[in-house]
Amino acid sequence: MTRSPHHQAAIVGIGQTEFSKRSGRSELQLAVEAARAALDDAGLRPADVDGLVTFDIDSNDETAVVRSVGMTEVRWTSRTPQGGAGSVATLQHAAAAVASGAADVVVIYRAFNERSGRRYGQPGAFGGRRTRDWHRAYGLDTPAQQFALWFQRYMHMYGVTNADFGRYGVVARQHAATNPNAWFYQRPITLEDHQRSRWIVEPILRLLDCCQESDGGVACVVTSPERARDLRHPVVLIEGATQSNPTDGYVTTNYYHQDLTRYPEAESVAAQLWKSTGLGPGDIDVAMLYDAFSPVVFYQLEAFGFCGRGEAGDFIADGNIQLGGRLPVNTNGGLLGEAYIHGMNNIAEAVRQLRGTAVNQVPRAEHVLCSSGRSAAVLGRG
Amino acid sequence: MEPMTTASTVSPWDDAIFWEGVDGGRLLLARCARCSRIQHPPSPMCPSCGSVSWDVQESSGKGRLHSWIVSHHPSRPDAEPRVVVLVDLDDGVRFVSNLHNVQLDEIQVDMPVEVTFQLVGDTVLPLFTRPGGGT
């Protein structure tokens, strides 16, 4: 078996701030607190860091992070595209930097005051309505509305209802209910609670189908497997990491593929990962699937082949994605139940599962899938 | 410029053909002058052949409703909820628009629709309605 070049990197540290609705401090402070915490977790010092990766829309400038954390000199920086859909691509960037020798120790960071500051789910968060453009001129003001046009076609073709989506929301809060870091800690919900929550986009998404709005930061430290073996935690390998950016793709307004019941980008990253790692859906012990909205989980379950097309609703209803099920999904509660740190908190949970330190630990987890739809990675125990 | 939505931002250069058509009450699509690929939304270069020269093709304005939602965000709703639709034009192009003059309980996926040019605020936009339903 040919090993992916990304097999030459490992995640050795994770760190985070508290997740809240009002952090009471700057986004830069959240970023550097998370970065320091990740370095402490790894047993590395700021002076060891020579690479930084973050998101295109992160407000924290690299030079400000270097200056505040006290990194001596950074010689690799890069940013991933597409907001949260690029969250898992940060692992690909960091692994590529380490595998190529461009950097030895890379810190990935993402921090924001997404609830107390700029709220991505509010109309106008990204410039507001325009009189003439392809999408927003018609009232597609928010990601929920933009995504919902896609989901409606899926509901129509497969006879899926909003209550079917609600069953994912119930599982996410069930996992969050035992996670002290989660917004829904000790607050599980029922399907009835879900069905009573208000419409955000009728007749597709209710409030409890939508992710949290959160303040906070998460960071990860990536280095070589050799160096990882000398550090304090069990080695977590990046077994494969990739992206898909096809000709007909858009990000939140991804309407120009022929069949809107499918997620071609996710199907592509799935095929790439199964090929590069030699693994398949049956080898995955835990899946961390980007869940800005419940239906995105349906699309990803099908794209990665965990169930057939149109079958995600039944797969979820049959208990497969709960703790103890065939494929526990978003064991921290995900973005719906734990917090919305733009997907990075789901990556941190994947690392905890492989170390055996998650609060909702899946026994003997060997391979964990992290997907943000347009980018994905398989992490494994080294 | 916000990266998450860059791809939906209109360029006054790349998209001029389309909006000039709307101002004249016509639905004009960009067709590659070299290989005839129709590109919507328009782009500066043809992804099939690399040409940067574009002709126009006038659309019949007829198509079918592919998907729909009600746009009525709870924190900042429109005065009247708007129905946002995806239309599959017979020309093979998918188009985002609003449904005009159709009641909510009459909406069906795959129903036939046709373009109508309506004043929205102070701008004319191409909307869609039932065949013969434009006013």
Side-chain angles (χ1 to χ4, degrees):
Chain A
M1 185 180 74
T2 307
R3 288 201 153 185
S4 160
H6 303 306
H7 224 151
Q8 297 163 26
I11 303 173
V12 294
I14 51 174
Q16 64 194 44
T17 65
E18 83 287 0
F19 305 144
S20 74
K21 299 295 181 186
R22 181 172 288 278
S23 75
R25 53 204 194 276
S26 70
E27 294 186 338
L28 180 59
Q29 184 169 339
L30 296 173
V32 299
E33 285 181 18
R36 268 279 186 175
L39 288 167
D40 289 346
D41 179 61
L44 291 168
R45 295 166 300 126
D48 294 317
V49 178
D50 58 358
L52 288 176
V53 174
T54 189
F55 292 34
D56 51 357
I57 61 171
D58 192 273
S59 70
N60 301 294
D61 181 72
E62 286 81 351
T63 52
V65 170
V66 169
R67 177 174 177 271
S68 185
V69 177
M71 296 159 183
T72 308
E73 184 177 42
V74 162
R75 59 197 178 97
W76 166 278
T77 67
S78 64
R79 289 185 174 231
T80 54
Q82 304 148 357
S87 57
V88 180
T90 59
L91 297 177
Q92 182 194 28
H93 281 221
V98 167
S100 69
D104 292 324
V105 175
V106 176
V107 169
I108 301 166
Y109 64 92
R110 176 72 178 120
F112 55 12
N113 287 321
E114 197 277 332
R115 180 58 181 81
S116 67
R118 180 190 186 189
R119 299 169 65 185
Y120 293 177
Q122 290 294 301
F126 293 96
R129 193 165 288 176
R130 294 169 192 236
T131 52
R132 284 192 160 176
D133 79 351
W134 304 119
H135 308 118
R136 281 185 282 165
Y138 302 100
L140 294 178
D141 299 319
T142 65
Q145 294 165 337
Q146 292 162 2
F147 273 89
L149 265 181
W150 199 30
F151 304 150
Q152 167 80 299
R153 185 74 190 180
Y154 180 94
M155 295 169 79
H156 171 76
M157 294 301 286
Y158 292 120
V160 168
T161 66
N162 174 260
D164 292 314
F165 295 149
R167 290 189 183 86
Y168 168 71
V170 170
V171 173
R173 273 69 174 212
Q174 183 182 319
H175 293 170
T178 50
N179 171 7
N181 292 321
W183 180 251
F184 276 86
Y185 179 52
Q186 296 181 331
R187 292 192 294 146
I189 66 165
T190 64
L191 191 58
E192 291 68 37
D193 295 329
H194 172 272
Q195 288 292 290
R196 278 195 299 267
S197 70
R198 71 175 186 267
W199 286 115
I200 300 299
V201 185
E202 190 173 358
I204 298 127
L205 297 173
R206 293 180 185 274
L207 179 66
L208 288 173
D209 293 309
C210 300
C211 64
Q212 288 304 297
E213 299 177 277
S214 308
D215 290 6
V218 173
C220 297
V221 184
V222 174
T223 189
S224 67
E226 294 70 34
R227 192 159 183 180
R229 285 184 196 101
D230 297 330
L231 297 174
R232 60 172 58 145
H233 291 293
V235 174
V236 174
L237 288 172
I238 298 173
E239 298 184 298
T242 191
Q243 303 178 45
S244 171
N245 298 284
T247 304
D248 292 328
Y250 266 68
V251 183
T252 54
T253 51
N254 200 10
Y255 307 138
Y256 302 99
H257 295 296
Q258 186 68 32
D259 185 351
L260 297 190
T261 67
R262 300 168 67 165
Y263 194 165
E265 291 84 355
E267 291 178 13
S268 173
V269 292
Q272 293 180 58
L273 285 175
W274 299 150
K275 187 175 178 194
S276 70
T277 62
L279 300 170
D283 298 309
I284 300 299
D285 301 301
V286 179
M288 301 302 301
L289 307 178
Y290 194 85
D291 55 333
F293 307 104
S294 306
V296 191
V297 171
F298 285 53
Y299 279 78
Q300 290 173 94
L301 286 170
E302 295 173 18
F304 280 89
F306 295 118
C307 61
R309 290 177 54 196
E311 295 175 0
D314 290 339
F315 188 76
I316 292 168
D318 291 344
N320 287 295
I321 70 164
Q322 300 168 39
L323 292 171
R326 210 166 89 202
L327 179 79
V329 169
N330 295 348
T331 48
N332 58 342
L335 309 184
L336 265 66
E338 186 186 53
Y340 177 73
I341 314 296
H342 230 174
M344 288 303 298
N345 51 316
N346 282 358
I347 295 174
E349 172 70 3
V351 173
R352 289 188 291 265
Q353 285 289 350
L354 289 163
R355 287 178 177 178
T357 59
V359 289
N360 294 319
Q361 184 63 44
V362 171
R364 297 174 299 284
E366 294 278 347
H367 303 286
V368 178
L369 173 69
C370 288
S371 168
S372 48
R374 306 177 65 91
S375 55
V378 176
L379 308 184
R381 270 206 291 201
Chain B
M1 181 167 291
E2 59 284 3
M4 280 177 75
T5 51
T6 300
S8 58
T9 299
V10 168
S11 156
W13 294 284
D14 304 332
D15 306 336
I17 286 172
F18 182 83
W19 294 107
E20 286 166 17
V22 169
D23 286 336
R26 301 162 74 195
L27 201 61
L28 300 182
L29 303 174
R31 184 181 64 205
C32 175
R34 187 192 291 166
C35 76
S36 298
R37 176 189 171 114
I38 294 177
Q39 178 79 340
H40 186 83
S43 60
M45 180 175 285
C46 174
S48 297
C49 76
S51 170
V52 293
S53 297
W54 296 93
D55 293 333
V56 296
Q57 171 172 314
E58 180 160 7
S59 169
S60 68
K62 295 182 190 305
R64 287 182 180 276
L65 193 150
H66 192 79
S67 186
W68 63 280
I69 63 161
V70 179
S71 170
H72 198 60
H73 194 277
S75 72
R76 204 183 301 177
D78 289 322
E80 293 293 328
R82 286 207 271 179
V83 178
V84 188
V85 293
L86 294 179
V87 174
D88 280 343
L89 289 173
D90 293 346
D91 314 85
V93 163
R94 188 164 292 153
F95 197 87
V96 178
S97 185
N98 291 130
L99 200 57
H100 177 72
N101 265 352
V102 179
Q103 299 301 310
L104 272 187
D105 59 7
E106 297 171 341
I107 302 172
Q108 290 187 341
V109 171
D110 292 329
M111 67 188 276
V113 291
E114 72 176 19
V115 74
T116 173
F117 295 91
Q118 299 289 331
L119 196 61
V120 178
D122 54 4
T123 305
V124 174
L125 291 175
L127 309 186
F128 283 81
T129 188
R130 275 186 307 238
T135 51

